[in-house]
Amino acid sequence: MPSETHFWRQAFCRLYETRVPIVPLGKIMHWRAVVDALGVETSTARDLVLVTDDYFYRPHSAAPTAAELDAHRHEGAVGGAQWLLYPVVRHDGADMPAPRGFVELPWFVEAEFVVRDSLDRDLRGLLGGARWRELSRLVRRADEHFEWEVATGAGVDDETLVAFDRLHQLNLAKYGHSRNHFSLSLLRDIAISALRERVCVFLHRRQSDGAPVQAVLGMHYPESNTLEVLVQGIDHTAVARSQNLYAVALYRIYRWGLARDIHRFNLGRGAQLAKLNLGANRFHVVSNHIAPVDDTRPGDFDALQAAARAAIDKALVVLGTAADRRDGGGNVMLPERTEIAERGRGKVIA
């Protein structure tokens, strides 16, 4: 049976219309978006890079072993790649292999909500009284206008996938994304694969006619007691701006998960301040690691690395300030700023 990593590898290849996961570095959407935001380009943008591991499909990837690194370098050399890219690696105490030329680029902040006591008590403490009361009001209001539906595993039928895809594409259009990482064809492939049992689709339907108006795609990993919230979509023409259905959906997902003994909810990368307001209490810096295939090719990543570190450190300062306003931030775990981590350990680790 193909591994999950192999499945994501095939999905990446279809997305970028290539036989193997070797593409120009500057064409990778998760690379291009951040580089453009930082305003720092490198001369490597047109170079071919072998992308590895979870291919940006999951919120973070594991660091490779030395044996995996050797295998990837061989594959990259055979395929004509100049670089290896290990995307969104979260260290959590694990070290990356460090061949000459390996560069770490802090790229995103990843957020999780881990339930420690009871859901409502935890959220009240994390959000503060005013935000907790507002969330409760939003949930009550949603009960008056929308129905909540959950489909998992074999219960995720094609009608559910089509409904999710329509709503997700509305989000892609809103934010100008040119590639659909979770296209309908990919969702259908997941639905007939070994990954099917992990899939969870959460839907809000309008009570008046049953039309789907908001949806969230998640993947359940019982081995780590985690539900990964991957992508969502909403029809803003059908939902009033004052009705934050995404916040309501997350609250209902938390409740659904706890009823199934799930206590860790990965809320994905980016928008970390908004996720703090949705209950996130664990944050991690995830980094792209890039190295030359032949261990000798020089790169010009210094300016990009400096800009990426500065942007992540600024985001962590803002996040820490916001967390400190709520009971001193004692219930929120933040990573070290990258400049501090680099001084203390000789490399950037979050």
Side-chain angles (χ1 to χ4, degrees):
M1 181 183 297
S3 67
E4 180 172 348
T5 296
H6 182 71
F7 184 92
W8 297 133
R9 173 188 172 104
Q10 291 179 313
F12 182 91
C13 289
R14 285 197 301 271
L15 181 66
Y16 288 94
E17 300 178 332
T18 182
R19 185 179 59 83
V20 293
I22 296 177
V23 296
L25 180 59
K27 288 189 177 297
I28 300 171
M29 63 182 186
H30 294 89
W31 178 274
R32 172 52 55 199
V34 175
V35 167
D36 287 349
L38 295 174
V40 180
E41 190 57 271
T42 72
S43 63
T44 57
R46 296 183 180 179
D47 287 356
L48 294 179
V49 60
L50 172 68
V51 184
T52 65
D53 295 319
D54 291 317
Y55 305 90
F56 293 102
Y57 278 94
R58 295 186 62 187
H60 67 268
S61 299
T65 64
E68 288 170 334
L69 176 59
D70 288 342
H72 292 148
R73 294 176 82 174
H74 175 73
E75 181 182 5
V78 170
Q82 289 86 45
W83 301 95
L84 304 177
L85 177 63
Y86 293 91
V88 292
V89 174
R90 185 216 287 181
H91 288 275
D92 284 347
D95 287 333
M96 286 284 295
R100 185 170 55 187
F102 226 122
V103 178
E104 179 176 6
L105 301 165
W107 218 242
F108 299 109
V109 177
E110 176 192 20
E112 296 182 296
F113 172 47
V114 179
V115 182
R116 300 189 302 180
D117 187 359
S118 74
L119 175 61
D120 289 354
R121 190 176 298 117
D122 280 3
L123 287 177
R124 188 181 294 110
L126 287 163
L127 302 182
R131 283 190 177 89
W132 166 250
R133 289 189 294 274
E134 173 63 11
L135 176 60
S136 300
R137 185 191 69 80
L138 289 171
V139 172
R140 291 193 300 271
R141 184 178 175 192
D143 285 338
E144 299 171 358
H145 301 284
F146 306 101
E147 297 175 353
W148 178 241
E149 178 181 302
V150 181
T152 63
V156 180
D157 57 21
D158 200 62
E159 187 273 333
T160 300
L161 295 179
V162 170
F164 171 82
D165 179 64
R166 182 185 73 83
L167 294 166
H168 181 221
Q169 288 201 52
L170 292 175
N171 258 34
L172 295 177
K174 177 182 178 181
Y175 294 106
H177 297 312
S178 59
R179 295 184 188 271
N180 185 350
H181 226 51
F182 286 94
S183 65
L184 181 58
S185 61
L186 176 61
L187 296 175
R188 285 170 169 162
D189 286 346
I190 293 174
I192 59 173
S193 76
L195 295 182
R196 177 181 66 180
E197 296 308 312
R198 297 192 183 279
V199 175
C200 308
V201 180
F202 305 91
L203 283 170
H204 273 118
R205 293 182 181 271
R206 193 164 48 202
Q207 285 186 4
S208 59
D209 58 6
V213 297
Q214 191 263 346
V216 177
L217 175 68
M219 299 278 280
H220 178 209
Y221 290 85
E223 59 269 31
S224 60
N225 192 30
T226 299
L227 180 73
E228 294 182 356
V229 178
L230 298 176
V231 286
Q232 71 109 19
I234 187 167
D235 184 350
H236 287 286
T237 67
V239 180
R241 291 179 62 87
S242 59
Q243 177 65 68
N244 188 344
L245 270 193
Y246 184 60
V248 174
L250 282 183
Y251 178 77
R252 288 174 165 166
I253 288 170
Y254 298 156
R255 281 216 163 277
W256 177 89
L258 282 171
R260 289 152 183 82
D261 204 32
I262 300 169
H263 289 79
R264 184 177 295 269
F265 302 86
N266 192 306
L267 306 182
R269 305 180 298 258
Q272 57 275 352
L273 195 57
K275 290 169 184 176
L276 178 71
N277 293 332
L278 295 170
N281 56 0
R282 301 287 186 277
F283 294 89
H284 313 267
V285 172
V286 292
S287 300
N288 289 333
H289 292 255
I290 191 164
V293 167
D294 62 6
D295 204 20
T296 60
R297 180 183 175 87
D300 64 340
F301 295 103
D302 289 351
L304 180 59
Q305 186 183 55
R309 288 175 178 172
I312 290 295
D313 284 348
K314 180 179 179 180
L316 293 178
V317 169
V318 171
L319 190 61
T321 300
D324 284 343
R325 293 194 184 110
R326 306 170 195 186
D327 69 4
N331 293 318
V332 178
M333 292 181 60
L334 298 172
E336 290 181 313
R337 298 206 314 273
T338 61
E339 62 174 358
I340 295 173
E342 183 186 20
R343 274 204 309 269
R345 303 172 212 172
K347 60 186 289 190
V348 180
I349 298 179

